[in-house]
Amino acid sequence: MTKSAKQVNICKKRITPSLLNKQKILMLMSFPFLIWLIIFAYVPLWGWIMAFQNYRPDLGIRNSPWAGLEHFRRLFADQQFHEAFRNTIGQSLFLLAIGFTMPVIFALMLNEVKYLRFKKIAQTISYLPHFVSWVIVASILGLILNTGGPINTLLLNMGLIERPIAFLGVPNMFWPLLAISDTWKNIGWNAIIYIAAIASVDQALYEAAAVDGAGRWRKMWHITLPGIRTVIIILLVLNIGRILDIGFERQILLGNPVNQSHSRTIDQYALEYGTQMFRFSYGTAVGMFKSVISLILVLAANRFARKLDAGVF
Amino acid sequence: MKKKLVRVVAVFIAVMMFTAACQGGGSAIPDDLVFDGGEIVTFTFYSEDGVRDLPWNTPIARRMTELTGVALQYDYPVGGLGVRVPLMAASGIYPDLIFAKGDGAILIEAGAVINLAPYIENSKYLKDFYGDLLPRMWHNGDPDTIYSLGPYAINQPIWNVRSSMPVQNAVLKEFGYPEVRTVYELEELLRAYIELYPTTPEGRPVYALTLNNADGWRYIIDLGNPSGFLAGFPDNGEWIVCNETLEATIKYLHPDIKEYYAWLNKLWNDGLLDPDSFTQTNDEYTAKIANGQILATVSPWWQFQEGEQSLRQRGMEDQTFAHLPITFNRDVMPIGSYDPGWSGGHGIMISKGCSDPQRLFDFLDWMTSEEGLVLRSWGVEGLHHTAENGVRAMIPEVELALESDPDYGDSQGFSWLHGFPEIGDGWLDSTGNTLTRNSPESIIRTYSPAARETLAAYDATMWADLFPPTSAFELSPFGAAWQVNIPTDSEINVLMQWVQNTWLPQQMSRVVMVSVEDFDAAWDEAIQILIDGGVYRLNEMFTELVRDKARAWGNY
């Protein structure tokens, strides 16, 4: 990516009839995706009205009585919601701290491996867990971490603990456990994009650095990392936008009554205290609140990234 | 080569899509069903209690179609998260027949089910079947509205009495069948037994007790319920209700309830309580029971039944459970034989989506006919039971298989009892035989040899002999509190959800796992959280509901 090429990209073209004419095929091609987006991302927003109603399925959105901001008032007063919000943020931060940085490190290290065959095998093995469903990962984890499992046996034999620990039964361990297991599952998969980005770094730069006497670490620090900086920042921005979208699948599968105080997320809260209790309006209010915070997070992250000259939009 | 690959992939995808489209839920109805009276109608049936598919190709199901021309396609919740019914209500797409238990209230409110009262009025069998109990199914006390047919057996005598804390026969045998009446006496035996046998012959660790706690809602059963049972309170869910004033209190506020958690706390700290109690899945729990690793249990029979059946299948009879009248102190009665009375409750409903409700209702009606009741309980004549000289008797091999093979009941179709209107044991039909296959004798026949040995040692023939009779208890003026309907769109529902599904699992797990010295402080803190959460208001609101129900029963 040379400097002049970048400048051309930044230049804004003015919309003229001839330009529209020239790009009509392209626009036609993107049309289905636009429709898809409108149907699946914008039309459902209509349902947000439910958050301001006491919605009942038999009356429908048109006839349900209005409730004003009642559901939001209840939401902000609910201790359970505060806990779920804290957990969502906490788990996401752990995931960002471990789940986001490890693939970068993994890609850098893999890039240094010169023996091609090993590199390929390592890459394949590392991204296979991505295809294993969380249900299976959760039961494997359960077996590994239970009191008769290998980790406890190891720690007992090494004399580090006196009594086996039920790891999933310790609330404070839930966030790191989730982050570690998620990283294990996705490290190889997430590293692919970095490995690809590293491959596109100009080889001449390395040769020049070698001539200047740079060792491996210096090359990594001064060439590889800056070379993939844009990719890292874009992915970081996207990840921050999804902080609240942590879901509930992993939490439900790994959760139990004891770690519930640290496992329940906003989505799970919306399910358990909204939909499952037939409180559709309340569930909608939770979802709406989540979406608004997510939007703020994305915008803030992007603003930050633009300062680093790598904003997404 | 490449072309071939593309073709293979295309065919594969087509097959996948086709099979996905065909699997509407549950397995397909077999096409070789027989019915002489016209076309066979298939109805879809959703059961909240289902855990695996019940295909309509069992001998009993086939016979039902032969007699009625109706087949049912089974559907059940996957993952046990209780989202299916709310989703049904939200989407407006309903199965024909629904057994939704507590979630039935949601469907009634959403206007999803039809009023069965006019159908019952004109029914051949159902009206007489329920008889005097019919008012208990009235919706809000209105005689013209009945949305669901009450589930569970009506007029059921309690023969099959079970302990609140069953213990392995092996433990009692080891110490020469001593008299055991309190939890603490039992605890001494368990401690002594573990001293002798810290592991099973295969080397697995043995525990005095395990809790099936972590899998979904099960903490309500193992962590919540026994606290009341062992203190002599009959099953009212999270409640203790005074029969005179009908005042309801969340049971954790009652001083006697604390004892259970203090005791668990002691076991936990002494390493007698399985350390996986708060993290294991139901499968792990069942495996432990089936391996004989658990000496005593506080689970109800339906929870450890599968494990116990495996024990019998593998010939580990001594590790099956004995049912002794255990409570925390001698002054309270063990509640094994307590009968809250038939409660009505949410049973089978017919949805608005059913295209031919009359036909479906006739099928339900037939289920309560003599023919239907006998088929569902006794199975098919010649295959499951015999009727020689007018005496109906189960074939011994079938009876044994039902008790000792976890899959046998489903594979023959005996599961079609559950949720549907059911008659109590001991009632006679027109031939002078009982309508259900259960009798005191049949129950004794199902006992394991080890259980019989234990019973003989305690000079009894049935577990019931060791317990006070049902008549020793006061009649409940309102049934059981866990069967009181809570309106879905109410403050009480939200509070109840919090107490039962957040406070109970979090706080009671925590108090069990603190050190013995910290227990009292942890307990007080947990109760304070409960009070701060608005439990007194909840008590007041629930008391009103209990009184409403007692009023409907004519007792308030």
Side-chain angles (χ1 to χ4, degrees):
Chain A
M1 202 193 286
T2 60
K3 199 134 198 174
S4 60
K6 200 173 178 183
Q7 267 162 1
V8 172
N9 274 343
I10 292 171
C11 266
K12 278 191 181 160
K13 277 189 182 163
R14 288 181 51 197
I15 301 170
T16 57
S18 73
L19 185 72
L20 286 179
N21 192 39
K22 215 161 80 187
Q23 296 191 347
K24 69 170 182 260
I25 300 292
L26 290 174
M27 285 195 287
L28 215 61
M29 279 162 76
S30 59
F31 208 61
F33 300 101
L34 197 66
I35 292 177
W36 179 87
L37 199 71
I38 289 171
I39 291 177
F40 287 101
Y42 286 92
V43 173
L45 290 186
W46 162 251
W48 276 11
I49 294 176
M50 289 194 323
F52 305 100
Q53 291 180 326
N54 285 321
Y55 174 77
R56 289 183 44 151
D58 49 334
L59 298 177
I61 289 185
R62 279 167 209 285
N63 301 320
S64 291
W66 293 96
L69 292 172
E70 180 57 30
H71 296 296
F72 290 94
R73 226 169 274 140
R74 278 196 211 166
L75 177 66
F76 296 130
D78 188 2
Q79 203 54 44
Q80 303 305 308
F81 175 70
H82 294 182
E83 200 178 84
F85 191 70
R86 181 204 66 189
N87 291 341
T88 309
I89 300 283
Q91 290 172 13
S92 291
L93 289 180
F94 264 92
L95 274 175
L96 271 184
I98 307 176
F100 185 75
T101 50
M102 290 312 280
V104 179
I105 296 170
F106 181 66
L108 286 176
M109 283 162 57
L110 212 56
N111 184 50
E112 295 302 318
V113 174
K114 291 292 175 246
Y115 182 39
L116 202 65
R117 214 189 161 108
F118 174 80
K119 191 170 162 179
K120 283 200 164 151
I121 291 173
Q123 209 182 335
T124 310
I125 290 176
S126 70
Y127 77 59
L128 274 181
H130 176 79
F131 300 100
V132 179
S133 118
W134 264 108
V135 180
I136 293 162
V137 175
S139 26
I140 295 175
L141 264 179
L143 288 175
I144 293 178
L145 295 174
N146 79 15
T147 52
I151 295 200
N152 267 306
T153 315
L154 187 74
L155 291 176
L156 280 173
N157 288 343
M158 286 166 69
L160 291 175
I161 49 174
E162 272 174 34
R163 269 179 61 173
I165 303 168
F167 290 100
L168 285 171
V170 185
N172 288 331
M173 281 195 189
F174 190 82
W175 296 356
L177 272 178
L178 181 80
I180 292 168
S181 54
D182 191 87
T183 306
W184 169 78
K185 191 164 160 0
N186 290 319
I187 188 167
W189 184 258
N190 292 339
I192 290 178
I193 199 160
Y194 299 116
I195 291 171
I198 290 171
S200 70
V201 174
D202 193 349
Q203 289 302 313
L205 292 173
Y206 290 105
E207 283 157 25
V211 172
D212 286 347
R216 278 199 168 186
W217 287 107
R218 296 223 141 236
K219 280 195 222 165
M220 210 190 267
W221 188 253
H222 289 294
I223 299 171
T224 317
L225 262 180
I228 62 172
R229 194 182 73 140
T230 330
V231 178
I232 296 178
I233 292 177
I234 287 176
L235 287 179
L236 185 65
V237 171
L238 292 176
N239 270 312
I240 289 176
R242 285 203 305 256
I243 270 192
L244 298 189
D245 268 333
I246 194 163
F248 52 73
E249 189 191 7
R250 294 166 286 187
Q251 287 77 3
I252 284 177
L253 289 168
L254 291 172
N256 59 47
V258 193
N259 64 27
Q260 194 189 59
S261 60
H262 282 70
S263 66
R264 190 193 278 143
T265 58
I266 295 184
D267 285 333
Q268 202 178 342
Y269 174 81
L271 177 74
E272 285 172 9
Y273 279 77
T275 319
Q276 264 183 21
M277 291 178 68
F278 201 50
R279 300 199 296 165
F280 295 110
S281 292
Y282 190 72
T284 311
V286 177
M288 196 172 151
F289 171 77
K290 203 191 92 175
S291 300
V292 171
I293 300 286
S294 288
L295 187 65
I296 294 171
L297 280 173
V298 177
L299 293 176
N302 189 56
R303 220 194 157 103
F304 171 71
R306 265 163 98 168
K307 285 206 172 133
L308 297 174
D309 200 17
V312 184
F313 46 85
Chain B
M1 182 67 198
K2 207 166 190 180
K3 224 173 185 177
K4 196 173 167 191
L5 186 73
V6 170
R7 213 177 294 155
V8 168
V9 169
V11 168
F12 181 71
I13 291 174
V15 169
M16 292 284 287
M17 283 167 76
F18 182 72
T19 45
C22 291
Q23 284 171 345
S27 51
I29 299 291
D31 45 19
D32 57 342
L33 293 173
V34 189
F35 176 54
D36 293 335
E39 209 174 321
I40 294 173
V41 198
T42 300
F43 293 105
T44 48
F45 169 49
Y46 170 79
S47 170
E48 189 100 321
D49 267 351
V51 287
R52 56 178 80 87
D53 190 24
L54 298 179
W56 195 260
N57 59 9
T58 61
I60 292 177
R62 283 172 184 277
R63 185 94 181 104
M64 281 192 195
T65 305
E66 226 172 280
L67 294 168
T68 63
V70 170
L72 296 181
Q73 180 152 23
Y74 196 69
D75 193 6
Y76 57 98
V78 176
L81 284 168
V83 288
R84 280 293 294 279
V85 170
L87 283 181
M88 272 179 210
S91 68
I93 301 166
Y94 302 102
D96 301 317
L97 200 59
I98 306 173
F99 176 47
K101 297 172 72 184
D103 284 345
I106 293 178
L107 294 169
I108 292 172
E109 255 168 64
V113 290
I114 64 171
N115 181 10
L116 297 175
Y119 293 93
I120 293 173
E121 196 49 46
N122 300 317
S123 63
K124 263 192 197 152
Y125 312 104
L126 263 169
K127 200 177 171 197
D128 299 330
F129 177 79
Y130 284 114
D132 296 344
L133 296 171
L134 212 53
R136 296 190 181 182
M137 307 195 313
W138 293 347
H139 184 65
N140 291 342
D142 174 11
D144 297 326
T145 334
I146 293 175
Y147 286 116
S148 76
L149 301 177
Y152 316 124
I154 56 171
N155 303 321
Q156 174 79 294
I158 311 238
W159 292 331
N160 214 345
V161 173
R162 277 121 173 169
S163 172
S164 307
M165 197 169 157
V167 55
Q168 278 190 8
N169 288 299
V171 175
L172 301 170
K173 192 178 186 176
E174 180 72 34
F175 301 109
Y177 303 103
E179 201 213 318
V180 192
R181 178 66 177 76
T182 69
V183 172
Y184 303 107
E185 288 166 9
L186 185 60
E187 183 193 332
E188 286 313 307
L189 290 189
L190 300 177
R191 279 177 194 274
Y193 190 85
I194 290 179
E195 287 281 305
L196 294 171
Y197 308 100
T199 62
T200 62
E202 300 89 38
R204 296 191 178 90
V206 169
Y207 299 107
L209 194 70
T210 188
L211 302 176
N212 187 1
N213 225 347
D215 211 326
W217 43 269
R218 291 177 199 272
Y219 43 76
I220 298 170
I221 308 302
D222 274 17
L223 190 63
N225 283 345
S227 62
F229 300 168
L230 291 169
F233 295 105
D235 189 359
N236 275 317
E238 304 303 327
W239 302 93
I240 288 174
V241 184
C242 168
N243 274 351
E244 281 79 51
T245 62
L246 292 172
E247 261 174 283
T249 318
I250 283 280
K251 67 182 171 203
Y252 305 99
L253 297 174
H254 196 284
D256 292 358
I257 295 299
K258 184 178 171 186
E259 196 165 2
Y260 175 62
Y261 299 98
W263 181 67
L264 285 183
N265 175 253
K266 190 172 71 170
L267 289 195
W268 173 264
N269 283 295
D270 291 351
L272 292 173
L273 183 62
D274 175 10
D276 289 331
S277 288
F278 297 94
T279 47
Q280 66 189 340
T281 62
N282 189 40
D283 290 343
E284 289 167 31
Y285 163 89
T286 304
K288 278 182 198 147
I289 298 276
N291 287 328
Q293 286 174 268
I294 306 301
L295 299 182
T297 170
V298 287
S299 305
W301 64 273
W302 46 262
Q303 183 113 282
F304 63 77
Q305 185 185 31
E306 207 178 328
E308 201 176 34
Q309 283 169 339
S310 305
L311 281 170
R312 292 196 65 179
Q313 220 173 11
R314 294 157 63 186
M316 295 164 71
E317 302 277 357
D318 279 352
Q319 272 69 30
T320 58
F321 292 99
H323 296 266
L324 303 181
I326 308 273
T327 50
F328 269 112
N329 74 61
R330 283 166 193 276
D331 303 333
V332 296
M333 279 203 283
I335 56 143
S337 55
Y338 175 78
D339 179 12
W342 187 79
S343 202
H346 287 307
I348 294 278
M349 308 182 177
I350 297 180
S351 82
K352 283 237 159 78
C354 177
S355 54
D356 192 352
Q358 185 62 53
R359 181 84 191 263
L360 184 50
F361 182 84
D362 288 345
F363 175 67
L364 294 175
D365 195 25
W366 169 85
M367 275 193 155
T368 57
S369 70
E370 200 173 301
E371 193 178 51
L373 290 169
V374 169
L375 175 61
R376 287 191 293 148
S377 180
W378 289 87
V380 180
E381 189 180 332
L383 191 62
H384 302 121
H385 72 265
T386 54
E388 276 163 36
N389 308 325
V391 180
R392 202 181 291 135
M394 289 303 278
I395 295 172
E397 291 81 34
V398 174
E399 200 168 44
L400 183 70
L402 277 169
E403 196 54 32
S404 58
D405 181 348
D407 300 323
Y408 184 76
D410 283 354
S411 73
Q412 299 302 305
F414 283 102
S415 324
W416 293 106
L417 271 173
H418 188 73
F420 291 93
E422 214 179 316
I423 187 98
D425 297 328
W427 298 88
L428 303 183
D429 66 5
S430 56
T431 65
N433 290 293
T434 54
L435 284 161
T436 66
R437 64 171 186 269
N438 297 327
S439 64
E441 293 73 33
S442 78
I443 289 171
I444 293 170
R445 275 202 300 277
T446 63
Y447 289 160
S448 67
R452 273 178 233 183
E453 235 174 281
T454 305
L455 280 165
Y458 288 108
D459 218 8
T461 48
M462 290 184 81
W463 301 122
D465 300 342
L466 303 171
F467 288 75
T470 305
S471 58
F473 294 91
E474 255 179 87
L475 274 182
S476 167
F478 64 94
W482 58 271
Q483 285 176 319
V484 169
N485 296 327
I486 297 175
T488 52
D489 195 18
S490 64
E491 192 186 348
I492 180 169
N493 194 22
V494 179
L495 272 171
M496 200 56 212
Q497 165 87 353
W498 172 72
V499 170
Q500 199 162 36
N501 293 324
T502 299
W503 182 86
L504 164 66
Q506 285 186 11
Q507 295 301 323
M508 290 300 101
S509 306
R510 190 174 65 86
V511 300
V512 171
M513 290 192 287
V514 298
S515 66
V516 175
E517 305 83 64
D518 294 340
F519 175 79
D520 282 325
W523 175 265
D524 291 343
E525 194 190 327
I527 295 301
Q528 194 57 47
I529 292 174
L530 195 60
I531 291 169
D532 292 343
V535 72
Y536 289 124
R537 241 189 89 61
L538 180 60
N539 286 347
E540 275 169 36
M541 292 188 289
F542 195 76
T543 299
E544 283 313 306
L545 292 181
V546 170
R547 287 180 176 162
D548 284 346
K549 184 147 189 204
R551 219 168 278 135
W553 283 31
N555 289 329
Y556 184 72

